[in-house]
């Protein structure tokens, strides 16, 4: 077949053209064997740029196209569509990555960058020459979604998907849905009560006919691929038969053991058998085995004796639930940066230095102080309260480098609510910058300074320590250049948001990428912000990066709409870049079967050969490298193609 | 100064994305390597590596996901085993084993791409151009199957 | 067990008591502090210029001497420890300066003979710089040290003062896990049976050598430290630095003049306290130089 390849070199404004001599690249490649047409353009991905590709395919009867621009993760799909629009099989369109892998990383040497760009493009020309015309592989799809995490993001995603008519399995590791939002007092910038807007959604998610709610459950294992995941869920032993339990609460009332309450952030206690909070959904207790007298000594057993419906079962074991789903939304949320790491602020040893979540509980009407701000050490109403932003955040040397985004706003809210609570009190906020990006946020901050007299001091606090029943705050006001010393009654730390402690472990089970700090990575920071790079996984809420409630909800709905778009087709169309076996050459040694991670290869004992099931093959290529007779090849990435690409890259 | 030619086989899930990140972060590194994108580092056959040396590469860099992070479960373990077997083989052929490098680089490690690239280029630069007496030894040998264009069969 | 020991100038002059007590304690614990046969001043302040090597030569020379005797060198004074440890890091990590320094070492006529006789190779940071307290923890072991204790210091309320030079900069010193909340001296005191007084000023500056330039500022610093320990009912303060001791102890004379109702508190070296616990004779634990005599406070707990 005569090759007629079209090469389209993108300037990407000055992103590429500022470093790579695009004219020279296009001219030089016009003479490369098999190239029928070569040109350059300011923005290939723009409408005129795409039309240029479409027109050239027809005008020059192109058999393949190499768009030399950005990473294939960005615009491969764009140009494949453009090719298809001109009746060129989409798999005959390839991207040569001369931006991320060349112009952006070799700005210092334009000559070498230009040479490298030419080499990169040559490799892709060689690849395209041997690309087959392929069609996507259609496989059946399970129209049911899994949502991991029952905070506000997970709840929203589950409701949106379910309301669009698809079944949802919602898995939450703690005994109740609600997440951190259930702990909050009032929310900025409107000051509506967090529980009032959240609890109806919690109830809805538990009663929705299309949602299977699995609380006190964890993801044990995930296998399969987009459209056809198999999920094993560990249902942790609650030692309470929650189907039988009627939620009367007698066992909780009579349990003699008390431990620090996680929901109250250690400011109050709960029982060993407990529901985390009054509005918990489901409102049925679980038994905390590690703190139970019965499990420690075999004595007690009061909860079992008193239960009117015999729901307490000490013999209960972890159970496993198998679910098949087509898409997975990950919404595992955040934790606060551990306060023990902040030695200069006492590392958690000073009682009247509280975390931001603890202060939420002190403000909450359902909290341990009934909504009156009282400090933990002696229950007195604090008259001088100091709020610290960026505790751990924006400190690359010692803690985390990023901005946690929500602390400026919630500390402003804290200071404001404190002032509403304690009229004669004084609130101070030490800040690095006050970041109020968001609708109504700046106005909210102005209100705090003007109407509530919150005093903002620009500077870091170097040390907190106890002295005479006060918390001494040593800080600096960098605007006046003065050292500031405050004898505070209470200090609130705006600790950095970090990924939920389970996030990294879960990412390994799901095989999806996390970024440097453990937040899940999106496929593209701007254009694909709610998808993971691994197909079939979608991200929602603070699991992807620090976020406030509106952003988390928006991202959850976006994830849900992506899931619905996936489910809008009956079948899932997969990339046909799979392996195939030349039946004439196969000796039937079965080495390939042993290395295939997906059991995609079956053995035809009649013919004595192996055969790949395209619907299951993921295209990893393990079998190809293992095949001793080079009988297996990968579609559109054959050994022959790889050899030619290597040669092209090394040609002078 | 000697500018080594480097062939990089990067898996598309981790290292290729890591190199993309190095780009979006505008990190700067040596321009000697050309990256070929493969689905998995486990796709790389020893013959690909030998072919690269034969065609004039001074070094071959393979980038895969960290152990336990392979998108295809355990493809990178296959790579690890192959590379450890390859090294003495290369030595026997008169190719310094340090000309073959395997690194685990995740999608979040743009910095590591830069570091590994720069360090590997320096390592190979110190080794000097690959002495291709080797071609004499290989010239009698047949090119590996597939080195010539074959029509794909279905 | 012999360990190379770098005393530094002050321990041979103003702080002879510190040197003496430390050697005696080491003996009891089965460690012989083997003083470097030749040593010079460490330089006293770690230089922050990165384009010059002259200021670190003295420290490197001492480290090079130590490398002949072993793989460690122990020191006591916080300034010496700070300078030696940071210089060692430069020698381990900064190739350019390492090369230059070694060139100088070889060219230096005064020391060339001495150095070439033992320095077969360049000094590249072969020795580990240990503070005496690190030696107690990592070489001897606090638990083993506790076994040698004759008189447990029960009921004695001791405030451990770290000062700055042991801890900062943390990235280079790596003295304790957390520079803001170090615990090594607390662990040491607990092993001796003391009641540890945790006071917030334990890592604040004593005023350092500002005492010779701006006495007011320096005394304000040291007074804050002293007052903080007194307020928490400490019986005495321990320190590891002769300069800290000078500012905290001897300057209490000035504090008395400045602050009405000032309460004095004895400040001693940590190895002097260790000596008491190990039952070392008073004659080896010389308190004659202290402005505030620790003996009454110790006598109150029947410790002298």
């Amino acid at each position: 077949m005569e090759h007629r390849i079209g090469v389209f070199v993108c300037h990407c404004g000055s992103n590429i053209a500022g470093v790579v001599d695009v004219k020279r690249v296009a001219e030089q490649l016009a003479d490369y064997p098999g190239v029928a047409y070569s040109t350059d353009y300011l923005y290939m991905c723009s409408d005129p740029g795409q039309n240029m590709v479409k027109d050239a395919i027809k005008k020059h009867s192109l058999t393949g196209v190499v768009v030399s621009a950005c990473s294939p993760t960005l615009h491969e799909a764009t140009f494949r569509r453009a090719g298809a629009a001109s009746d060129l099989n989409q798999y005959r369109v390839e991207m040569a990555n001369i931006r991320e892998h060349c112009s952006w990383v070799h700005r210092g040497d334009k000559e070498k960058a230009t040479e490298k760009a030419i080499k990169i493009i040559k490799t892709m020309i060689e690849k395209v020459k041997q690309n087959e015309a392929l069609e996507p592989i259609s496989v059946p799809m399970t129209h049911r979604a899994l949502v991991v995490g029952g905070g506000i993001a997970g709840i929203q995603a589950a409701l949106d998907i379910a309301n669009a008519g698809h079944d949802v399995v919602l898995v939450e590791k703690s005994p109740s849905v609600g997440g951190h939002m259930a702990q909050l007092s009032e929310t900025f910038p409107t000051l509506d009560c967090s529980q009032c807007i959240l609890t109806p959604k919690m109830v809805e998610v538990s009663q929705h006919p299309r949602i299977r709610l699995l609380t006190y459950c964890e993801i044990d294992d995930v296998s399969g691929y987009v459209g056809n995941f198999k999920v094993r869920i560990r249902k942790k032993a609650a030692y309470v038969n929650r189907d039988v339990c009627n939620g009367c609460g007698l066992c909780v009332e009579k349990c003699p053991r008390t431990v620090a309450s996680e929901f109250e952030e250690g400011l109050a206690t709960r029982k060993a058998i407990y529901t985390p909070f009054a509005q918990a959904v489901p409102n049925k207790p679980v038994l905390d085995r590690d703190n139970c007298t019965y499990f420690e000594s075999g004595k007690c057993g009061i909860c079992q004796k008193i239960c009117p419906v015999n729901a307490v079962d000490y013999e209960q074991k972890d159970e496993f639930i198998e679910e098949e789903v087509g898409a997975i939304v990950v919404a595992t949320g955040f934790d606060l940066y551990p306060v023990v790491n902040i030695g200069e602020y006492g590392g958690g040893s000073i009682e009247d230095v509280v975390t931001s979540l603890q202060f939420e509980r002190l403000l909450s009407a359902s909290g341990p102080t009934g909504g009156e701000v009282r400090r933990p050490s002696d229950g007195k109403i604090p008259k001088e309260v100091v709020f610290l932003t960026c505790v751990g955040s924006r400190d690359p040397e010692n803690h985390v480098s990023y901005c946690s985004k929500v602390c400026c706003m919630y500390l402003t809210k804290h200071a404001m609510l404190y002032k509403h609570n304690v009229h004669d009190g004084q609130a101070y906020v030490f800040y690095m910058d006050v970041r109020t990006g968001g609708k109504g946020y700046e106005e909210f901050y102005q209100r705090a300074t003007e109407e509530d007299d919150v005093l903002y001091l620009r500077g870091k606090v170097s040390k907190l320590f106890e002295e005479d029943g006060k918390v001494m705050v040593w800080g600096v006001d960098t605007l006046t250049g003065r050292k500031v010393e405050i004898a505070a009654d209470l200090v609130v730390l705006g600790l950095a948001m970090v990924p939920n402690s389970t996030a990294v472990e879960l990412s390994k089970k799901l095989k999806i990428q996390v970024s440097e700090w453990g937040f899940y990575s999106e496929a593209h920071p701007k254009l694909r912000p709610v998808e993971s790079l691994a197909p079939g996984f979608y991200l929602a809420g603070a699991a992807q990066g620090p976020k406030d409630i509106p952003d988390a909800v928006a991202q959850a709905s976006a994830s849900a709409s992506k899931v619905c778009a996936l489910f809008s087709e009956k079948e899932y169309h997969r990339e046909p870049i799979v392996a195939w076996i030349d039946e004439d050459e196969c000796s039937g040694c079965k080495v390939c079967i042993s290395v295939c991670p997906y059991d995609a290869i079956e053995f035809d004992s009649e013919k004595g050969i192996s055969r790949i099931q395209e619907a299951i093959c993921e295209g990893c290529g393990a079998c190809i490298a293992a095949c001793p007779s080079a009988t297996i090849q990968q579609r559109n990435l054959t050994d022959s193609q790889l050899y030619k690409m290597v040669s092209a890259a090394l040609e002078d | 100064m000697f500018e080594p030619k480097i062939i990089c086989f990067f898996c598309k899930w981790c290292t290729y994305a890591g190199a993309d990140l190095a780009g979006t972060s505008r990190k700067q590194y040596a321009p000697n390597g050309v990256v070929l994108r493969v689905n998995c580092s486990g796709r790389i056959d020893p013959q690909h590596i030998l072919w690269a040396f034969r065609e004039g590469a001074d070094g071959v860099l393979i980038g895969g996901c960290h152990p336990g992070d392979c998108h295809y479960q355990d493809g990178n373990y296959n790579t690890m085993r192959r590379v450890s077997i390859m090294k003495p083989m290369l030595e026997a052929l008169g190719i310094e084993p340090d000309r073959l490098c395997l690194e685990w680089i995740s999608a979040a490690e743009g910095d590591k791409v830069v570091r590994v690239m720069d360090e590997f280029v320096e390592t190979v630069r110190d080794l000097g151009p690959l002495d291709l007496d080797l071609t004499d030894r290989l010239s009698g040998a047949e090119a590996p199957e597939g080195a010539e264009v074959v029509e794909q069969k279905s | 067990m012999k360990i190379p020991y770098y005393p530094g100038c002050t321990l041979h002059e103003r702080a002879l008591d510190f040197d003496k007590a430390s050697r005696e304690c080491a003996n009891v614990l089965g460690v012989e502090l083997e003083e470097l046969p030749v040593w010079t001043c460490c330089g006293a302040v770690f230089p922050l210029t990165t384009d010059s090597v002259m200021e670190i030569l003295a420290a490197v020379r001492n480290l090079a001497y130590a490398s002949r005797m072993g793989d460690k060198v122990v020191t006591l004074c916080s300034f010496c420890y700070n300078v030696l440890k940071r210089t060692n890091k430069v020698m381990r990590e900064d190739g350019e300066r390492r090369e230059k320094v070694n060139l100088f070492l070889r060219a230096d006529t005064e020391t060339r003979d001495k150095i070439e006789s033992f320095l077969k190779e360049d000094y590249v940071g072969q020795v580990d710089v240990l503070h005496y307290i690190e030696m107690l923890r990592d070489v001897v072991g606090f638990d083993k040290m506790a076994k040698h204790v004759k008189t447990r210091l029960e009921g004695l309320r001791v405030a451990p003062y770290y000062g700055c030079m042991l801890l900062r900069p943390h990235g280079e010193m790596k003295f304790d896990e957390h520079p803001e909340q170090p615990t090594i001296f607390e662990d040491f005191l607990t092993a001796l049976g003391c009641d540890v007084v945790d006071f917030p000023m334990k890592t604040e500056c004593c005023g350092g050598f500002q005492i010779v330039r701006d006495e007011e500022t320096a005394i304000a610093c040291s007074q804050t430290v002293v007052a903080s320990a007194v307020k928490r009912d400490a019986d005495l303060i321990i320190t590891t630095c002769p300069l800290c001791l000078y500012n905290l102890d001897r300057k209490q004379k000035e504090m008395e003049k400045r602050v009405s109702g000032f309460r004095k508190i004895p400040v001693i070296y940590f190895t002097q306290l260790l000596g008491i616990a190990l039952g070392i004779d008073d004659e080896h634990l010389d308190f004659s130089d202290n402005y505030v005599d620790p003996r009454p406070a110790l006598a109150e707990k029947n410790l002298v």
Side-chain angles (χ1 to χ4, degrees):
Chain A
M1 182 175 91
E2 189 211 352
H3 297 300
R4 297 187 59 78
I5 312 293
V7 176
F8 300 85
V9 185
C10 180
H11 298 203
C12 195
S14 64
N15 280 306
I16 295 171
V19 178
V20 170
D21 183 348
V22 285
K23 294 273 180 214
R24 191 181 121 199
V25 171
E27 277 165 24
Q28 207 165 317
L29 287 167
D31 300 331
Y32 192 76
V35 174
Y37 179 70
S38 175
T39 188
D40 61 279
Y41 184 65
L42 194 56
Y43 289 105
M44 284 317 309
C45 58
S46 67
D47 214 30
Q50 290 190 44
N51 284 335
M52 204 167 173
V53 177
K54 290 179 198 166
D55 294 344
I57 291 171
K58 289 204 172 123
K59 195 171 164 205
H60 300 280
S61 314
L62 300 181
T63 57
V65 162
V66 176
V67 180
S68 311
C70 47
S71 171
T73 51
L74 243 75
H75 278 311
E76 189 177 71
T78 312
F79 290 108
R80 284 190 167 169
R81 272 196 304 274
S86 282
D87 296 327
L88 178 69
N89 183 279
Q90 56 168 314
Y91 295 99
R92 289 219 164 109
V93 179
E94 292 281 1
M95 302 291 294
N97 185 352
I98 60 167
R99 192 179 73 174
E100 281 82 347
H101 287 194
C102 189
S103 69
W104 274 351
V105 290
H106 306 314
R107 283 191 289 192
D109 194 335
K110 296 186 177 181
E111 177 58 31
K112 281 189 181 148
T114 304
E115 281 169 21
K116 178 167 168 178
I118 291 169
K119 286 183 183 175
I120 294 172
I121 300 167
K122 279 184 187 172
T123 64
M124 296 318 288
I125 295 172
E126 288 302 334
K127 179 171 192 294
V128 161
K129 280 184 187 171
Q130 296 185 58
N131 269 7
E132 281 182 278
L134 298 174
E135 290 306 324
I137 299 168
S138 296
V139 289
M141 174 159 56
T142 313
H143 290 76
R144 168 196 283 256
L146 169 73
V147 177
V148 188
I152 182 59
I155 290 174
Q156 186 67 41
L159 286 174
D160 284 358
I161 298 168
N163 287 337
H166 305 292
D167 287 346
V168 177
V169 182
L170 175 58
V171 174
E172 163 59 42
K173 74 175 182 333
S174 67
S176 168
V177 291
H180 284 306
M181 187 174 168
Q183 293 176 288
L184 307 186
S185 52
E186 292 166 18
T187 54
F188 62 80
T190 46
L191 297 188
D192 35 7
C193 144
S194 183
Q195 296 228 336
C196 311
I197 53 179
L198 176 67
T199 42
K201 281 187 179 287
M202 291 163 60
V203 174
E204 196 184 342
V205 96
S206 72
Q207 293 178 348
H208 200 291
R210 288 201 177 277
I211 297 177
R212 182 178 188 195
L213 176 60
L214 297 171
T215 55
Y216 216 46
C217 288
E218 282 172 15
I219 303 299
D220 190 61
D221 185 48
V222 175
S223 60
Y225 48 89
V226 53
N228 294 282
F229 291 109
K230 283 194 173 61
V231 185
R232 196 155 70 130
I233 299 159
R234 177 192 295 271
K235 188 173 179 222
K236 295 184 278 188
Y239 305 104
V240 173
N241 186 339
R242 294 174 101 196
D243 298 331
V244 176
C245 170
N246 60 11
C248 72
L250 259 181
C251 52
V252 178
E253 199 179 298
K254 297 294 179 191
C255 174
R257 280 293 286 272
T258 53
V259 284
S261 159
E262 295 87 354
F263 181 79
E264 299 292 356
E265 295 289 329
L267 294 173
T269 55
R270 61 161 170 85
K271 297 295 182 65
I273 189 164
Y274 71 107
T275 47
F277 53 104
Q279 299 82 358
V281 170
N283 205 336
K284 293 175 180 179
V286 297
L287 195 158
D288 168 12
R289 179 187 175 125
D290 296 338
N291 289 297
C292 170
T293 310
Y294 178 82
F295 279 101
E296 272 168 17
S297 62
K299 292 181 188 126
C300 189
I302 291 172
C303 49
Q304 192 173 49
K305 281 171 218 146
I306 204 156
C307 178
V309 290
N310 286 324
V312 176
D313 172 11
Y314 298 131
E315 304 300 316
Q316 209 176 67
K317 297 265 183 296
D318 287 5
E319 287 171 31
F320 290 96
I321 299 165
E322 306 274 347
E323 283 283 354
E324 290 187 3
V325 297
I328 299 178
V329 178
V330 189
T332 49
F334 72 96
D335 280 337
L336 288 184
Y337 186 73
V339 69
V340 289
N341 294 354
I342 319 276
E344 59 271 40
Y345 297 166
S349 65
I350 308 173
E351 239 183 314
D352 291 325
V353 176
V354 298
T355 70
S356 41
L357 276 176
Q358 284 176 322
F359 196 66
E360 290 287 348
R361 296 312 301 151
L362 292 178
L363 287 169
S364 171
S366 66
T369 54
E372 278 202 316
V373 179
R374 290 181 179 279
R375 64 184 204 166
S377 64
D378 53 11
K380 282 192 186 141
I381 292 173
K383 297 293 184 188
E384 303 256 314
V385 181
V386 176
F387 299 89
L388 308 185
T389 65
C390 299
V391 181
S393 308
R394 305 177 69 193
D395 188 351
E397 258 177 65
N398 301 303
H399 308 294
V400 303
S401 63
Y402 55 85
C403 164
S404 293
K405 200 175 176 184
V406 296
C407 326
C408 285
M409 286 309 295
Y410 72 61
L411 288 172
T412 300
K413 174 197 77 179
H414 283 171
M416 198 187 259
L417 291 176
Y418 163 71
K419 285 289 290 184
H420 295 176
N421 217 290
V422 184
H423 300 296
D424 59 341
Q426 180 61 52
Y428 306 86
V429 179
F430 278 92
Y431 68 96
M432 282 165 75
D433 299 289
V434 180
R435 296 182 167 174
T436 58
K439 203 174 183 180
Y441 289 9
E442 174 65 16
E443 294 88 331
F444 184 77
Y445 160 59
Q446 291 299 341
R447 224 168 82 207
T449 57
E450 286 162 17
E451 291 174 22
D452 296 301
D453 297 324
V454 178
L455 186 59
Y456 278 75
L457 296 160
R458 187 180 185 280
K460 279 285 261 188
V461 165
S462 67
K463 193 180 183 93
L464 296 177
F465 60 94
E466 271 177 299
E467 190 93 9
D468 303 326
K470 298 270 187 180
V471 180
M472 297 305 295
V473 181
W474 280 8
V476 63
D477 179 356
T478 55
L479 297 182
T480 59
R482 290 214 188 101
K483 194 177 160 186
V484 180
E485 209 174 309
I486 299 170
D489 297 307
L490 185 70
V491 176
V492 180
L493 305 181
L495 287 159
M497 271 172 126
V498 295
N500 187 296
S501 55
T502 59
V504 170
E505 196 193 326
L506 185 66
S507 78
K508 290 188 189 298
K509 286 179 184 160
L510 303 180
K511 304 270 184 245
I512 62 175
Q513 289 86 357
V514 292
S515 64
E516 189 184 354
W517 299 103
F519 292 109
Y520 294 111
S521 305
E522 61 282 354
H524 186 270
K526 293 166 203 82
L527 302 179
R528 293 175 69 196
V530 304
E531 293 152 85
S532 166
L533 204 56
F537 293 94
Y538 304 89
L539 312 173
Q544 182 259 342
K547 281 188 187 63
D548 57 19
I549 296 167
D551 282 1
V553 170
Q555 202 189 17
S557 290
S559 281
S561 83
K562 289 280 171 190
V563 171
C564 293
L566 176 75
F567 288 174
S568 65
E569 301 244 7
K570 200 158 179 284
E571 294 182 312
Y572 176 65
H573 304 293
R574 301 181 51 225
E575 286 278 290
I577 311 303
V578 294
W580 58 275
I581 294 180
D582 183 343
E583 293 192 0
D584 298 339
E585 299 276 335
C586 177
S587 67
C589 72
K590 299 189 197 171
V591 166
C592 51
I593 297 177
S594 71
V595 297
C596 179
Y598 301 100
D599 294 331
I601 310 178
E602 57 184 3
F603 189 69
D604 183 339
S605 47
E606 220 167 90
K607 287 189 179 169
I609 56 164
S610 300
R611 192 175 287 127
I612 290 169
Q613 303 172 72
E614 287 195 337
I616 304 176
C617 175
E618 284 280 288
C620 70
C623 56
I624 308 168
C627 177
S629 54
T631 296
I632 313 182
Q633 286 303 329
Q634 183 158 26
R635 294 207 184 277
N636 288 358
L637 194 64
T638 60
D639 282 341
S640 168
Q641 281 174 300
L642 275 169
Y643 289 130
K644 291 287 176 194
M645 289 165 81
V646 167
S647 303
L650 294 167
E651 214 176 62
D652 283 317
Chain B
M1 191 167 55
F2 164 56
E3 289 298 347
K5 292 184 189 172
I6 311 285
I7 289 289
C8 311
F9 295 105
F10 283 178
C11 102
K12 80 169 189 184
W13 299 98
C14 291
T15 314
Y16 192 91
D20 277 357
L21 177 63
T24 44
S25 321
R26 309 296 199 276
K27 304 267 162 70
Q28 303 296 304
Y29 56 84
N32 304 55
V34 173
V35 176
L36 304 185
R37 179 173 174 244
V38 289
N39 280 15
C40 177
S41 60
R43 168 76 179 85
I44 300 306
D45 186 319
Q47 298 212 62
H48 299 143
I49 299 165
L50 291 175
W51 178 258
F53 286 126
R54 178 188 158 140
E55 288 290 283
D58 299 299
V60 174
L61 173 64
I62 302 175
C65 308
H66 283 271
D69 288 359
C70 178
H71 183 76
Y72 304 106
Q73 298 178 21
D74 51 10
N76 50 357
Y77 290 108
N78 293 336
T79 318
M80 190 165 66
R81 286 191 282 267
R82 277 187 200 119
V83 167
S84 57
I85 294 171
M86 277 295 282
K87 292 229 169 193
M89 262 175 69
L90 290 177
E91 199 161 21
L93 286 167
I95 301 173
E96 294 88 343
D98 286 349
R99 293 187 188 272
L100 172 61
C101 175
L102 169 63
E103 284 284 349
W104 310 132
I105 306 176
S106 82
E109 294 176 319
D111 286 338
K112 192 170 178 187
V113 170
V114 175
R115 184 165 56 75
V116 166
M117 278 285 203
D118 282 343
E119 285 176 5
F120 187 56
V121 168
E122 279 315 307
T123 305
V124 177
R125 183 171 285 143
D126 289 345
L127 289 171
L130 179 57
D131 176 10
L132 283 186
D133 273 350
L134 178 74
T135 34
D136 297 337
R137 257 176 283 167
L138 281 184
S139 59
E142 281 175 40
E145 194 166 336
E148 301 311 315
V149 180
V150 290
E151 286 295 314
Q152 291 186 46
K153 298 180 192 174
S154 25
Chain C
M1 180 185 0
K2 283 186 181 178
I3 296 184
Y5 168 52
Y6 174 80
C9 319
T10 317
L11 273 82
H12 266 217
E13 293 292 337
R14 298 295 296 266
L16 278 169
D17 45 352
F18 192 14
D19 179 67
K20 206 168 170 187
S22 306
R23 286 173 191 264
E24 285 302 322
C25 290
N27 281 342
V28 173
L29 297 171
V31 177
E32 190 191 325
L33 292 181
E34 196 182 5
E35 185 171 330
L36 308 188
V38 189
W39 57 265
T40 63
C41 170
C42 65
V45 179
F46 181 75
L48 294 176
T49 51
T50 52
D51 57 352
S52 162
V53 297
M54 295 315 288
E55 296 85 349
I56 59 170
L57 266 181
V60 177
R61 205 179 285 132
N62 290 316
L63 291 166
Y65 290 143
S67 71
R68 175 168 56 159
M69 299 165 60
D71 58 357
K72 298 181 186 68
V73 60
V74 167
T75 188
L76 278 153
C77 162
S78 299
F79 277 87
C80 299
Y81 175 65
N82 187 285
V83 172
L84 291 182
K85 189 145 183 186
R86 293 169 78 181
T87 303
N88 210 31
K89 191 169 190 280
V90 170
M91 295 305 286
R92 283 177 181 180
E93 293 172 10
D94 184 342
E96 201 181 320
R97 277 204 277 175
R98 175 168 61 218
E99 209 169 297
K100 273 192 200 161
V101 167
N102 278 298
L103 268 175
F104 271 107
L105 283 186
R106 292 190 183 283
D108 182 348
T109 47
E110 254 182 55
T111 51
R112 186 169 51 204
D113 294 343
K114 286 173 203 152
I115 288 177
E116 282 190 348
S117 63
F118 69 83
L119 201 63
K120 292 191 188 67
E121 53 194 19
D122 285 355
Y123 185 74
V124 295
Q126 292 96 321
V127 298
D128 286 327
V129 178
L130 279 189
H131 192 270
Y132 192 97
I133 187 80
E134 291 177 309
M135 178 193 81
L136 290 180
R137 182 189 59 190
D138 303 334
V139 181
V140 177
F142 284 155
D143 48 343
K144 209 182 139 212
M145 176 189 81
K147 285 184 189 139
H148 286 88
V149 168
K150 292 221 171 62
T151 323
R152 279 183 66 79
L153 309 176
E154 307 281 355
L156 188 66
R157 293 179 55 78
V158 183
Y161 176 66
Y162 288 81
C164 342
M165 302 308 281
L166 287 179
L167 300 163
R168 298 187 168 85
H170 179 62
E172 293 173 43
M173 298 304 289
K174 298 258 166 16
F175 175 71
D176 207 342
E177 205 168 304
H178 204 295
E180 306 290 348
Q181 277 189 318
T183 55
I184 184 166
F185 278 105
E186 280 80 346
D187 297 342
F188 164 76
L189 292 171
T190 307
L192 300 183
C194 303
D195 288 347
V196 179
V197 177
D198 187 21
F199 68 123
M201 299 304 134
K202 69 181 181 183
T203 59
E204 293 302 321
C205 176
C206 68
F209 36 63
Q210 291 300 331
I211 196 74
V212 296
R213 198 188 70 89
D214 179 359
E215 200 176 37
E216 283 307 315
T217 305
I219 290 178
C221 289
S222 51
Q223 201 238 319
T224 309
V225 174
V226 169
S228 175
V230 167
K231 191 165 201 171
R232 283 160 183 79
D233 288 328
D235 296 322
L236 53 85
I237 297 173
I238 55 161
T239 179
T240 161
C241 175
L243 184 55
C244 296
L245 188 107
Y246 179 81
N247 285 345
L248 296 185
D249 173 57
R250 256 156 271 182
K251 289 297 156 187
Q252 287 189 39
K253 192 174 176 183
E254 303 296 323
M255 296 173 204
E256 276 179 302
K257 288 183 206 158
R258 287 169 168 76
V259 186
S260 65
F262 178 79
R263 270 165 63 200
K264 290 191 289 186
I265 181 169
V267 185
I268 63 172
Y269 293 113
F270 74 105
T271 48
Q272 291 178 315
L273 185 71
L274 174 60
I276 295 166
L278 296 177
I280 290 169
D281 287 348
D282 282 5
E283 58 177 296
H284 293 297
L285 304 171
D286 183 7
F287 296 116
S288 59
D289 247 10
N290 288 50
Y291 173 69
V292 184
D293 191 342
R295 279 166 291 200
L298 295 166
E300 207 174 294
K301 311 281 175 187
N302 297 321
L303 296 171
V304 282

